[in-house]
Amino acid sequence: DFPEVMVHLKERALPRELLHVWRDDCALSDMFAARERLQGGGRHAVWRCSDGKGGPEFAVKEFRLDRDLGTCLREAVLLLRVQHPAVVSLVAVFQDTAKGSVMIMMPYYALGQVDRWAQDASPRPDWLAVRGVLFDVTEGLAHLHANKVVHADVKPANILVAQSGRGVRGKLADFDIAIDSGTRTTHAFLTVSRPAGGTRGFEAPELSTPGSVCTPASDIFALGVTVRELGDACADAERAESTGEVGGFVEALTATNAGTRPSAAAAAAAERGAPRAFF
């Protein structure tokens, strides 16, 4: 609650990569007239914010300063490093001294999580629309893996749907426990202990071994489970399944042997060059 805490954070703790997106001491309540805490099972509170006058909306993810500062800074640096059309964008990072929190500010994607969009949108999206979102996510994973980043928690709740000029696009979100081996930093706050990764039901079989670490192959397994769930949820799920558009892809991605699963780049390239090769 003391001003010198903010000064220490900016001058002693803030990674240089974040200086151009850092906003000095800002209160969430002062920045945004309209604030709504979004419901969900995430590890951190997320707020839907706007000026209340029809201006752009933002999703603001809150991290407790006393226990989650390292996680926040890691995620912010990672979002800057792996910028891609299929990864959520970072707008700003700021400290709310009154709340004792540090915040990551991102665009708000009004269509929300892909599973809720597939089930609740009216009219419900068909398999072709869902498939487009999954293709974006596959390309996003290929980009992450090429940059030595493992998401470690791929699932429908971590895929957001954004409205775009061509219809909709998929965006990978929630990099709380992502593994980044492509960069090194001496900054103490970026070295934090974190869960092994994954969500029950989406974990690859090899992760059941004690001491195992998430890999690109385990991301691929989780993507396969995600495709299966969304294939069941879309409006024409029965048609998609009967023509093999879901089953073959899921079988390849969820192979028990991690070494036989296709890479994200291979899956994306096959879809790009030969329609329905995977999706």
Side-chain angles (χ1 to χ4, degrees):
D1 294 336
F2 297 98
E4 54 266 31
V5 173
M6 185 273 290
V7 173
H8 176 82
L9 174 58
K10 182 177 180 181
E11 296 185 356
R12 301 287 184 86
L14 197 68
R16 285 192 297 270
E17 299 96 319
L18 298 181
L19 287 176
H20 73 285
V21 294
W22 173 261
R23 296 188 180 180
D24 283 328
D25 193 25
C26 300
L28 193 67
S29 56
D30 293 338
M31 291 178 65
F32 301 106
R35 302 174 304 280
E36 172 193 359
R37 181 167 177 170
L38 299 178
Q39 300 300 311
R43 301 173 183 85
H44 306 284
V46 179
W47 301 84
R48 177 182 181 180
C49 303
S50 71
D51 61 8
K53 300 177 181 179
E57 293 187 306
F58 300 95
V60 179
K61 188 173 181 179
E62 180 178 0
F63 299 80
R64 295 296 304 171
L65 188 60
D66 56 353
R67 66 172 185 264
D68 296 324
L69 176 60
T71 302
C72 174
L73 298 183
R74 279 188 67 258
E75 182 165 353
V77 169
L78 186 58
L79 289 177
L80 285 179
R81 191 169 85 78
V82 298
Q83 294 177 68
H84 186 271
V87 174
V88 295
S89 303
L90 176 68
V91 176
V93 183
F94 64 93
Q95 180 186 358
D96 188 324
T97 303
K99 290 176 67 67
S101 302
V102 61
M103 314 278 196
I104 290 180
M105 180 175 163
M106 300 163 284
Y108 176 74
Y109 302 109
L111 297 180
Q113 298 173 356
V114 66
D115 50 346
R116 296 179 182 174
W117 171 71
Q119 294 174 2
D120 300 338
S122 182
R124 287 175 64 192
D126 60 17
W127 176 238
L128 185 63
V130 175
R131 168 179 152 180
V133 171
L134 290 171
F135 175 60
D136 289 337
V137 169
T138 305
E139 287 204 316
L141 278 178
H143 175 72
L144 293 183
H145 296 169
N147 284 277
K148 300 182 180 180
V149 173
V150 176
H151 186 279
D153 199 15
V154 177
K155 58 184 178 182
N158 286 341
I159 298 171
L160 304 179
V161 183
Q163 193 73 51
S164 75
R166 71 174 181 88
V168 294
R169 295 210 66 165
K171 303 274 187 178
L172 276 166
D174 199 346
F175 286 75
D176 277 12
I177 59 174
I179 300 169
D180 181 3
S181 60
T183 187
R184 297 181 64 184
T185 177
T186 59
H187 194 282
F189 282 120
L190 298 187
T191 304
V192 295
S193 59
R194 53 190 183 276
T199 295
R200 187 177 298 275
F202 293 84
E203 294 174 320
E206 63 270 17
L207 295 181
S208 62
T209 304
S212 59
V213 178
C214 290
T215 66
S218 60
D219 271 355
I220 292 298
F221 183 93
L223 176 64
V225 178
T226 297
V227 173
R228 181 172 62 217
E229 289 203 353
L230 294 176
D232 292 340
C234 66
D236 54 348
E238 184 176 350
R239 179 194 64 78
E241 182 63 41
S242 66
T243 56
E245 293 179 26
V246 178
F249 188 48
V250 170
E251 183 177 354
L253 297 193
T254 59
T256 302
N257 184 344
T260 65
R261 296 172 202 151
S263 67
E271 169 65 4
R272 192 183 306 112
R276 304 196 182 197
F278 277 109
F279 289 99

